[in-house]
Structure formats: structure tokens, C-alpha cells
Amino acid sequence: MSRSGIRWDRRLEAAVVLVAGIAFGAWREFAFINLNYQIDHLARHTRFSYAHSLVQGWTNGWDLATLLRVKWGLALFSMLVVALLCILLARTLYGSWRHRNMILAGFAAFAAFSLLMHFLSPWAPPLELVSVRISHMLQYPVPLVFVLIGALAKSDATD
């Protein structure tokens, strides 16, 4: 045991999960920036796309509707991956799966709130930005930090 109450082998496992989350966030950023460039290219009928050549190659021949469906699918996939990484991190830090349902409920609640803000945005346009920011938070490693802070706060409280 270390002073913080978390064993060294669990710290290593937690570090691996955090690195995986950061790597996934980097991949997600690359994919979405370039997907958005390709969507913009098709939506505005520009002469060329700023999307990376890999993404242009992968999406060659796709129409705007298909790109938008792929974007929504990748957004949901990203939320699922981050939720699973949070569950894995909590399992590593707490030594059990007992936080699984709470993490999934938290993700579902934030996703529902984001969707609500999106549906209310025609009457209050700033809510669209709130919707996007909450959705992005769920797709990046931000929730992993909250799991880590919770585990460290718990171990400090038991000292």
C-alpha cells in the first residue's frame, strides 16, 4: 500500500487506463476535425476539402447525409468508450464493479441533459453551445479525471 491507499499495481493499471483515454481522445479529435472539414466541404460545395487525405480517402463518394450519420454514430461510440474506460478505471481504483451503474447513470443523465438543451435551442440559441460542450465532455477523457479525483478523495478521507 502507498500513502494514498492505492496499491502500486493498481496505480500502474490506472495509468494505463488514463493513457488509453488520452490516446482515444486524440484519435477522436483527429477523426472529428477531419470529418467536420469533409462535411463542410460537401455542405458548402467548396472546390477542395481541408480534411486529411486519409479521411478524404475513407469518405470518398459519401454524401452529406451519410457523413452526418457517421458523425452521430462516432459521437455515441465515443461516449460509450469513455463510459467503459471510466468503469474500468473505477474498478481498478476501488477494487470492485460497484460504481458501474452510477457511472452509466451519470453518463445517461448528462447525455439526456445535452439532448434537452439541443431541443430547446431553437427558442434559446445559446443552449446549443451548452449542448455541444456537454456532449464533447462525455466524448473526451474528462470524466476519467472525475473518477480519479473521487478515488483520491476517498482514500484521503480514509487516512
Side-chain angles (χ1 to χ4, degrees), residues 15-37:
V16 169
V17 173
L18 290 170
V19 167
I22 291 167
F24 179 79
W27 173 86
R28 186 241 176 252
E29 184 73 5
F30 173 83
F32 275 82
I33 284 175
N34 287 286
L35 192 56
N36 284 333
Y37 279 144

Side-chain angles (χ1 to χ4, degrees), residues 28-97:
R28 186 241 176 252
E29 184 73 5
F30 173 83
F32 275 82
I33 284 175
N34 287 286
L35 192 56
N36 284 333
Y37 279 144
Q38 194 66 9
I39 288 169
D40 180 68
H41 167 64
L42 289 179
R44 295 187 319 121
H45 307 288
T46 58
R47 289 186 340 167
F48 58 89
S49 171
Y50 287 105
H52 192 282
S53 59
L54 282 173
V55 176
Q56 288 183 43
W58 293 333
T59 61
N60 188 26
W62 294 7
D63 63 357
L64 183 60
T66 301
L67 286 173
L68 291 171
R69 281 192 298 274
V70 167
K71 182 179 174 180
W72 276 99
L74 283 176
L76 293 173
F77 173 75
S78 295
M79 287 181 202
L80 177 64
V81 167
V82 174
L84 292 174
L85 286 170
C86 283
I87 291 168
L88 187 57
L89 182 61
R91 164 65 178 94
T92 299
L93 295 174
Y94 291 101
S96 76
W97 297 101

Side-chain angles (χ1 to χ4, degrees), residues 94-111:
Y94 291 101
S96 76
W97 297 101
R98 70 181 179 272
H99 295 93
R100 172 185 60 229
N101 292 337
M102 185 171 43
I103 289 169
L104 291 174
F107 265 80
F110 275 107

